Amino acid sequence: MLIIRYLDMNSVETLQNALFAYKHGICGLKECVDWAVARLSENENEGDADIILLAGSSNDSEAKCLAQNIVHRYLQPDALQEEVLAGRLLVRLHDSYRAGTISIVELEPIIDALYRNLGYPNWLVMLGRNCEYATDIEPFVKPFEDEFEYISALWKQSKSIDDFHKKYDRQISNTHDANYC
């Protein structure tokens, strides 16, 4: 299972990312509780009762509700776009893949779930297909890696879904096919 490593435990976006990863079955709610514990240990809970309660939570239902409350209270609704969160998650997954801590076989159900849960966005078609094929067909590994590099690079540069869509080019994705290799 993927372990999410936090760069900045004080960021509510980190909590948002952990909550999104939980929603898609990539990690447990422990990451959300750990986030709250870190906020308390640094005395950076701003007197927020939800952070205090989340830090002591041992019940998944309670932890999920508290984490959602915190995210909704501190972040603008615009920041809650599912595709943006998926893009952030794909960047972390790409880094883990390149580091050798997650395999194509482990990525396949994650990418497939994101694709389905997001309503089959065009920008995930080639990545999902290539990942699925690469688990069994060697010639699809390089096209998968090329598409994964392309998509994650775009998300690293994008601040919003509109920003991503301005940069994304389906024709580039189409070249990441075993027929082009």
Side-chain angles (χ1 to χ4, degrees):
M1 180 157 288
L2 175 71
I3 297 173
I4 295 177
R5 291 186 169 80
Y6 301 112
L7 297 176
D8 178 10
M9 289 294 289
N10 299 323
S11 168
V12 177
E13 287 183 357
T14 300
L15 177 62
Q16 181 186 40
N17 292 337
L19 191 59
F20 183 81
Y22 166 76
K23 178 181 174 182
H24 292 281
I26 297 166
C27 67
L29 286 167
K30 182 182 180 317
E31 284 78 4
C32 296
V33 174
D34 290 347
W35 176 88
V37 169
R39 292 290 305 249
L40 290 178
S41 69
E42 298 294 322
N43 198 27
E44 296 176 352
N45 66 317
E46 312 266 334
D48 189 319
D50 283 345
I51 293 174
I52 295 166
L53 292 171
L54 178 58
S57 182
S58 60
N59 175 299
D60 277 359
S61 176
E62 177 187 48
K64 180 181 173 187
C65 181
L66 291 166
Q68 288 173 332
N69 288 345
I70 294 165
V71 167
H72 288 290
R73 188 169 50 256
Y74 287 99
L75 296 179
Q76 298 295 327
D78 194 33
L80 298 175
Q81 294 180 15
E82 295 282 303
E83 288 187 56
V84 172
L85 295 173
R88 290 180 192 162
L89 178 59
L90 286 172
V91 168
R92 290 196 315 271
L93 291 170
H94 181 260
D95 291 344
S96 295
Y97 177 73
R98 290 191 61 189
T101 58
I102 191 167
S103 70
I104 292 175
V105 171
E106 293 168 306
L107 285 170
E108 195 278 324
I110 295 168
I111 292 171
D112 181 62
L114 287 173
Y115 181 59
R116 285 183 286 106
N117 293 340
L118 294 173
Y120 309 98
N122 186 44
W123 61 269
L124 261 175
V125 171
M126 191 62 74
L127 183 64
R129 184 201 75 151
N130 285 353
C131 188
E132 178 184 353
Y133 291 172
T135 62
D136 297 321
I137 305 168
E138 180 65 29
F140 276 93
V141 173
K142 175 134 176 46
F144 162 72
E145 290 173 344
D146 291 346
E147 180 69 359
F148 205 10
E149 182 69 33
Y150 174 61
I151 295 295
S152 67
L154 291 179
W155 277 114
K156 282 181 185 177
Q157 301 167 11
S158 300
K159 302 290 185 220
S160 68
I161 190 66
D162 291 334
D163 193 24
F164 175 83
H165 283 297
K166 287 176 187 171
K167 296 172 186 165
Y168 177 72
D169 184 345
R170 180 56 196 250
Q171 295 305 314
I172 293 172
S173 286
N174 288 345
T175 66
H176 301 148
D177 194 344
N179 297 332
Y180 286 93
C181 296

